[in-house]
Amino acid sequence: MTARDDLARAFHNTQSFKWDAIKGFTLASGQTSPFYVDCRSLMAHPESRRLVARLAYESLRPVELDCLGGLEIGAISIATSISDFAFVAQPPRTWRTFVVRKQVKDHGLGKLIEGSFQPGDRAVIVDDVLTSGGSLLKAVSAARGAGLTVTHALVIVDRKEQDGRHKVEAEGLTLVSLLTIDDLTSAQPTHS
């Protein structure tokens, strides 16, 4: 078994993946899908976070990057887990993190992006699930608007719906997905 297989099984074991071909589930876009992928629930488990971080580190190791982040709330645990893993991995990497707010704060410094980054930094945008690509591309636009160089994006699961991959790649991004919906539908839960 590979780490990818382990991660796909973790979705089942943590009840973070649901499949209902009859009723389906309403997505953020308003469309219906037979699949529900709950990465927030998955990332609530330390073993799952470590698997995500390990697979992401292995995928991103050849990429030149300074920081990673994405849209609140989902990207926070993903970016932090990857950053923490990379810091102690071999070879170690120091990848800082940031988070893109859904809207500018109306108090304090009024920032849209919080965290550690400088204009000119090479950034990877992370997201939990790719469907239409809307939330990922919103984070890319904000990061580029803040002067970051964004050439790569990473998602935990590509749902392979609503032409999301094509929309992301059309923005000049290399998309890395740790899993696809096919991995989740074919995975079997581990029984103890």
Side-chain angles (χ1 to χ4, degrees):
M1 288 293 187
T2 67
R4 288 182 78 235
D5 295 329
D6 291 341
L7 180 58
R9 279 197 319 275
F11 270 93
H12 291 272
N13 295 338
T14 61
Q15 300 180 1
S16 302
F17 175 67
K18 309 257 188 271
W19 187 356
D20 185 335
I22 297 167
K23 290 185 193 172
F25 303 91
T26 303
L27 305 177
S29 65
Q31 294 192 26
T32 303
S33 171
F35 311 111
Y36 182 70
V37 181
D38 186 356
C39 288
R40 288 188 184 103
S41 176
L42 178 84
M43 295 298 285
H45 297 267
E47 294 164 54
S48 301
R49 282 195 306 273
R50 184 155 176 85
L51 280 169
V52 166
R54 178 177 151 204
L55 287 167
Y57 170 80
E58 290 168 1
S59 298
L60 295 175
R61 211 167 55 175
V63 178
E64 293 291 328
L65 72 126
D66 302 302
C67 54
L68 50 114
L71 204 60
E72 65 177 357
I73 289 175
I76 296 171
S77 63
I78 300 167
T80 303
S81 297
I82 296 167
S83 175
D84 288 350
F85 186 93
F87 189 68
V88 297
Q90 291 301 320
R93 299 282 198 273
T94 302
W95 295 336
R96 293 170 276 115
T97 64
F98 62 90
V99 63
V100 178
R101 294 181 175 280
K102 292 183 180 167
Q103 58 189 30
V104 175
K105 282 174 52 173
D106 61 358
H107 59 282
L109 298 178
K111 292 182 178 181
L112 180 60
I113 302 179
E114 301 278 358
S116 181
F117 66 92
Q118 299 293 323
D121 279 352
R122 298 159 299 184
V124 171
I125 299 300
V126 299
D127 204 354
D128 52 3
V129 179
L130 176 68
T131 307
S132 68
S135 64
L136 192 148
L137 291 174
K138 182 175 181 180
V140 168
S141 176
R144 287 177 172 168
L148 298 174
T149 301
V150 184
T151 58
H152 288 73
L154 179 138
V155 296
I156 299 175
V157 178
D158 179 354
R159 296 174 63 97
K160 298 171 68 172
E161 295 177 332
Q162 299 181 32
D163 212 20
R165 177 174 285 273
H166 175 74
K167 290 174 186 169
V168 168
E169 291 173 344
E171 292 298 318
L173 297 162
T174 299
L175 179 68
V176 175
S177 62
L178 303 183
L179 299 173
T180 68
I181 200 70
D182 300 328
D183 296 316
L184 297 183
T185 58
S186 64
Q188 298 300 316
T190 305
H191 298 289
S192 21

